[in-house]
Amino acid sequence: MKENLGAIPSWPDLYIPPLETKFPALSLKGPKGERSLVSISEDQEFTMYVCGITPYDATHLGHAATYLTFDLINRYQRARGSEVRFVENITDIDEPLLERANRDHRNWQELANSQIDLFRSDMTALHVIPPDDFVPATGVMDLIDHAIQQMDKNGFVYRIENDLYFDISSFLKDLPIPRDQALAIFAERGGDPDRIGKRDPLDPVLWWANKNDEPGWPSSHGFGRPGWHIECSVIALRYLLGESYLEIKNLPHAINLQGGGSDLIFPHHFMSSAQAQGILGIPFAQHYVHAGMVGLDGEKMSKSKGNLVFVSTLLNSGIDPLVIRFALLSDHYAADRMWTSDKLNAASASVDVIRTALSRELVSSTDQVISEIIDSLADDLNTPSALSALFKWASSVDSHGSEPSQKGAGGLSRTIDALLGLAF
Ligand code: ZN
């Protein structure tokens, strides 16, 4: 039997400067547009689960924008004094990975490991705080097995031939999109709505019996591999709630936040949340937060169009990672946005102005700009407004030779390093 590997090393931790400022609670817009306050008292943990990569391709700018979003939440909650527990998975066994490995005549594990390495170096360059646990699906097969047994006891599991399905019927009232759209997306994204014997066409698979020479793992349900969504339900619960998570009862929700790109709203977050509830019997996440999609020069960025822009390509061409981070933060996290070379050039010019201003020995007061940055971030992570306040301050220092009134800009530098991850 394959050894249970569990979490793997993530990437080096970062120094986050401490801030001595009062912070308002973070207000985030919920999936249906309503505002939900992420208000966690200081003696509590903030538990955040972010859906990670399928490692068949390196980090493109869409991934980077997503991971920066949750990095901002992580930084804000830490600055407020919360103890953040952050877990991220790696979908290192799934159809797209196997297909890519076959196409390129590569061993799927070797392909996955090489892309995970690249992801680590991209996240390090972009100054993203590493997760406390970075967990590949292949490391938690035993946990998935136990969780499916628990769901079965709770009455959510049925079998077609040797494959196991999750009965989604009691969650369908919470479908985030109309049912006809859901059926179409489900089919597009690896679902099998037409399979004979399904109770509902939207029931997701929990465990595929092994086919031909595909990779598989032994389990109490037979040799095979997990469906797409179950790893996230299980990794989030086990790594955020601890080893005895199956005994937990009577919590209003299992974790504080599940995050990912907006392409994960359905089916992935809907299904992983329903399945987590099928395991534990309590609602999964208090907040679901989704980052917008990034397009290129007016078109959707996608692997089928072959127009993905990779972080590593930009870094290899000599672009300062701080400029990439600045450019990605210049749009609101929830907005679908376009990536253009103009955006990168504008970010580079702004970074130069800010760097020069921050390095002056005497500058005008930074109190107001610091509070504008904090207020902007507290208001649904409004980074365009935070960066524009910063740029305005820097331009006034630079161009008008304004009356210098303070010694240096250390407090401001620490604030933008700690909250925005921009270490000038
Ligand atoms: Zn996930």
Side-chain angles (χ1 to χ4, degrees):
M1 182 165 167
K2 194 181 160 76
E3 179 191 7
N4 188 348
L5 297 168
I8 61 171
S10 53
W11 52 92
D13 205 359
L14 291 169
Y15 170 73
I16 312 291
L19 302 178
E20 287 160 15
T21 321
K22 279 239 172 238
F23 285 83
L26 179 57
S27 159
L28 294 172
K29 208 191 261 178
K32 289 169 189 153
E34 79 281 12
R35 286 291 168 121
S36 46
L37 274 188
V38 180
S39 188
I40 305 292
S41 69
E42 290 181 18
D43 56 350
Q44 268 182 312
E45 268 193 347
F46 180 75
T47 48
M48 175 166 82
Y49 181 83
V50 177
C51 288
I53 54 164
T54 300
Y56 60 90
D57 244 346
T59 326
H60 59 68
L61 288 171
H63 292 136
T66 295
Y67 299 116
L68 289 191
T69 299
F70 300 99
D71 191 53
L72 290 174
I73 296 175
N74 192 352
R75 287 167 179 277
Y76 194 91
Q77 290 299 102
R78 283 174 180 229
R80 282 197 79 209
S82 291
E83 195 177 312
V84 179
R85 284 272 309 141
F86 165 33
V87 172
E88 184 171 317
N89 73 307
I90 309 151
T91 304
D92 64 341
I93 178 69
D94 197 18
E95 214 59 50
L97 172 65
L98 297 176
E99 278 167 16
R100 177 62 62 93
N102 275 339
R103 189 198 79 177
D104 297 351
H105 308 291
R106 290 180 76 174
N107 170 284
W108 65 274
Q109 283 160 309
E110 184 264 324
L111 170 64
N113 288 336
S114 69
Q115 298 307 301
I116 293 168
D117 274 346
L118 197 48
F119 181 70
R120 288 185 180 109
S121 60
D122 291 340
M123 291 297 103
T124 305
L126 289 177
H127 232 60
V128 173
I129 299 174
D132 299 296
D133 292 298
F134 189 43
V135 190
T138 55
V140 292
M141 291 299 166
D142 295 351
L143 294 174
I144 289 175
D145 187 358
H146 291 148
I148 294 177
Q149 288 174 31
Q150 183 63 41
M151 280 173 160
D152 198 9
K153 278 187 208 152
N154 296 342
F156 288 99
V157 182
Y158 67 96
R159 187 178 280 265
I160 303 179
E161 294 165 8
N162 289 319
D163 302 325
L164 299 184
Y165 282 85
F166 182 79
D167 186 327
I168 197 75
S169 55
S170 44
F171 302 94
L172 289 175
K173 61 182 188 319
D174 299 321
L175 262 186
I177 50 176
R179 185 175 167 90
D180 54 339
Q181 275 179 38
L183 281 164
I185 296 175
F186 184 69
E188 262 168 41
R189 309 209 62 198
D192 53 357
D194 300 325
R195 183 162 185 190
I196 307 287
K198 288 184 77 168
R199 292 180 188 168
D200 189 287
L202 289 175
D203 288 343
V205 74
L206 290 168
W207 190 260
W208 293 113
N210 195 244
K211 292 178 204 74
N212 308 321
D213 53 355
E214 276 182 354
W217 288 261
S219 83
S220 59
H221 335 285
F223 197 76
R225 64 184 170 91
W228 175 21
H229 317 293
I230 185 65
E231 72 191 65
C232 287
S233 320
V234 172
I235 294 171
L237 295 178
R238 163 62 185 84
Y239 284 87
L240 289 171
L241 298 178
E243 212 173 327
S244 324
Y245 76 94
L246 286 174
E247 287 149 36
I248 289 174
K249 307 261 179 287
N250 303 325
L251 285 177
H253 44 76
I255 68 170
N256 292 115
L257 187 150
Q258 184 185 26
S262 61
D263 54 341
L264 296 186
I265 294 173
F266 186 86
H268 184 58
H269 281 183
F270 174 74
M271 298 297 185
S272 51
S273 160
Q275 292 176 168
Q277 193 160 342
I279 298 167
L280 219 51
I282 56 175
F284 180 46
Q286 182 183 18
H287 306 284
Y288 295 89
V289 179
H290 299 105
M293 297 286 105
V294 179
L296 177 69
D297 299 328
E299 281 209 70
K300 199 179 167 207
M301 210 186 273
S302 73
K303 63 173 186 296
S304 55
K305 289 206 169 76
N307 64 349
L308 296 174
V309 178
F310 294 104
V311 172
S312 51
T313 312
L314 297 177
L315 293 172
N316 289 338
S317 69
I319 295 168
D320 181 350
L322 188 142
V323 169
I324 302 173
R325 186 166 174 123
F326 193 99
L328 286 166
L329 296 181
S330 68
D331 286 298
H332 188 259
Y333 77 92
D336 290 338
R337 79 290 284 275
M338 283 298 151
W339 181 263
T340 59
S341 51
D342 286 353
K343 189 165 283 186
L344 202 55
N345 294 337
S348 179
S350 300
V351 162
D352 284 345
V353 171
I354 295 163
R355 186 173 273 141
T356 306
L358 288 171
S359 66
R360 287 166 75 106
E361 281 178 28
L362 292 167
V363 295
S364 54
S365 169
T366 56
D367 294 351
Q368 194 190 332
V369 63
I370 288 174
S371 67
E372 279 172 11
I373 290 169
I374 292 171
D375 291 346
S376 299
L377 291 173
D379 180 17
D380 201 25
L381 302 172
N382 191 343
T383 50
S385 154
L387 293 184
S388 117
L390 178 60
F391 182 75
K392 212 168 113 198
W393 170 85
S395 312
S396 72
V397 170
D398 213 29
S399 55
H400 304 304
S402 60
E403 298 286 304
S405 60
Q406 280 202 343
K407 257 191 166 183
L412 178 57
S413 288
R414 285 192 291 280
T415 303
I416 56 183
D417 183 355
L419 295 179
L420 291 162
L422 298 170
F424 279 89

